[in-house]
Amino acid sequence: MSADIYSDLRMQGYVVTQLHMDVDSARELDATEGSLSLDFDVRQKPDSDDDFLLELTVSVNLDDDDFETHGFRFVCGIAGFFDVAPLKETHADSWYSLMLNNGLSILYGIARVQIDGLSSVAPMGRFMLPCVNMQEFLVARFAEVEQAAFVADE
């Protein structure tokens, strides 16, 4: 396989930090619906400019109203460890946004598998997370942060 296809973002490993399911087993449940929310955190290793931790939390029906409506809830946290040195070399001006977009996409894929496996033993059957446009999610998230900063400055 040609080395040209490998990403300059290097994933060193990951851990599942949380995996939780609540189900109202007394109800007839529909696994085709749910309210999705994503949150993330970025941390840099204190003694390295090139090692980062991305932590993604994926929640389905996190709000109590959504849980009452749908009868189930999932929370999955995945922490990934990434080396960005090659990415910095090839994309000096955009490495951070590429790390976020690609790293969170990788972690979301892992969360999809975790929730699929956990839901396979649930009364409503398998729940598959929808595909997400991570770039659009990040644009929306940073717009929220800028708006919040603007309001705080007033």
Side-chain angles (χ1 to χ4, degrees):
M1 190 172 287
S2 171
D4 299 10
I5 66 169
Y6 295 121
S7 173
D8 291 327
L9 178 63
R10 306 289 161 81
M11 185 173 190
Q12 298 167 321
Y14 72 90
V15 294
V16 176
T17 57
Q18 57 180 322
L19 185 57
H20 181 79
M21 172 178 67
D22 291 320
V23 177
D24 181 351
S25 58
R27 293 176 50 187
E28 187 171 328
L29 304 174
D30 182 0
T32 62
E33 296 184 15
S35 171
L36 177 68
S37 61
L38 304 176
D39 196 13
F40 70 95
D41 190 23
V42 182
R43 287 177 254 156
Q44 184 176 353
K45 191 174 180 183
D47 59 350
S48 172
D49 292 337
D50 297 326
D51 293 311
F52 284 80
L53 171 101
L54 294 179
E55 186 163 14
L56 176 66
T57 304
V58 178
S59 304
V60 177
N61 299 329
L62 185 61
D63 293 334
D64 288 338
D65 289 343
D66 289 333
F67 176 71
E68 288 299 319
T69 299
H70 299 291
F72 65 94
R73 171 184 295 142
F74 297 104
V75 179
C76 181
I78 308 288
F81 306 95
F82 294 91
D83 173 13
V84 298
L87 193 60
K88 285 181 173 181
E89 289 176 19
T90 57
H91 297 86
D93 295 335
S94 59
W95 70 269
Y96 190 81
S97 61
L98 288 169
M99 174 191 67
L100 286 180
N101 190 10
N102 293 321
L104 292 173
S105 294
I106 291 166
L107 297 177
Y108 187 77
I110 295 168
R112 288 184 90 196
V113 172
Q114 296 295 319
I115 289 176
D116 179 70
L118 183 61
S119 67
S120 69
V121 298
M124 78 281 197
R126 285 201 151 111
F127 181 85
M128 182 176 289
L129 289 172
C131 294
V132 170
N133 183 328
M134 201 57 70
Q135 184 173 350
E136 290 299 321
F137 163 71
L138 289 167
V139 166
R141 173 57 61 88
F142 287 121
E144 289 173 10
V145 170
E146 286 179 21
Q147 180 65 28
F150 177 75
V151 170
D153 288 341
E154 291 183 337

